[in-house]
Amino acid sequence: MALFAFSVAPLGAGESVTDQVAKAVKIVRDSGLPNRTDAMFTTIEGEWDECMDVIKRASEAVGEGGARVSLVIKADIRPGHTGELDGKVARVDAKLAGQAD
């Protein structure tokens, strides 16, 4: 299992890329994988191949009609662990609240 945080955007599409990014986020949400989108990245959780397929399809959707796409990926590969999309944040929150060592 792994977490993949990625950011994908078309290059040369002008100042706003909202429409293209929305296409990518829809692909992620329709994938059924646990996911979270924030202002800079979308993070998905799953097996390597299924996550990379989603990232590839999202990148292709963003690039439709354009010549170039920027893709940034960061991965946390941790076999045998699931629920880390929320688990990592919960552990930090617990630490900040003084509930964990």
Side-chain angles (χ1 to χ4, degrees):
M1 293 296 287
L3 293 173
F4 290 88
F6 74 101
S7 174
V8 60
L11 296 178
E15 189 172 325
S16 176
V17 295
T18 302
D19 291 341
Q20 295 93 330
V21 170
K23 289 179 186 178
V25 172
K26 180 168 180 11
I27 288 168
V28 170
R29 291 182 180 170
D30 289 349
S31 75
L33 294 174
N35 66 84
R36 180 175 296 132
T37 298
D38 62 36
M40 297 293 292
F41 285 91
T42 293
T43 305
I44 56 178
E45 181 173 19
E47 296 295 335
W48 178 277
D49 290 339
E50 64 186 349
C51 289
M52 292 308 289
D53 176 64
V54 171
I55 293 169
K56 178 182 178 186
R57 290 187 290 119
S59 299
E60 290 170 346
V62 164
E64 288 176 358
R68 197 169 186 181
V69 173
S70 172
L71 173 64
V72 176
I73 303 173
K74 181 176 181 178
D76 180 0
I77 302 163
R78 196 170 182 195
H81 292 267
T82 60
E84 291 298 285
L85 187 65
D86 295 318
K88 290 176 103 172
V89 175
R91 287 190 296 276
V92 170
D93 287 343
K95 186 71 161 179
L96 290 172
Q99 299 171 359
D101 291 331

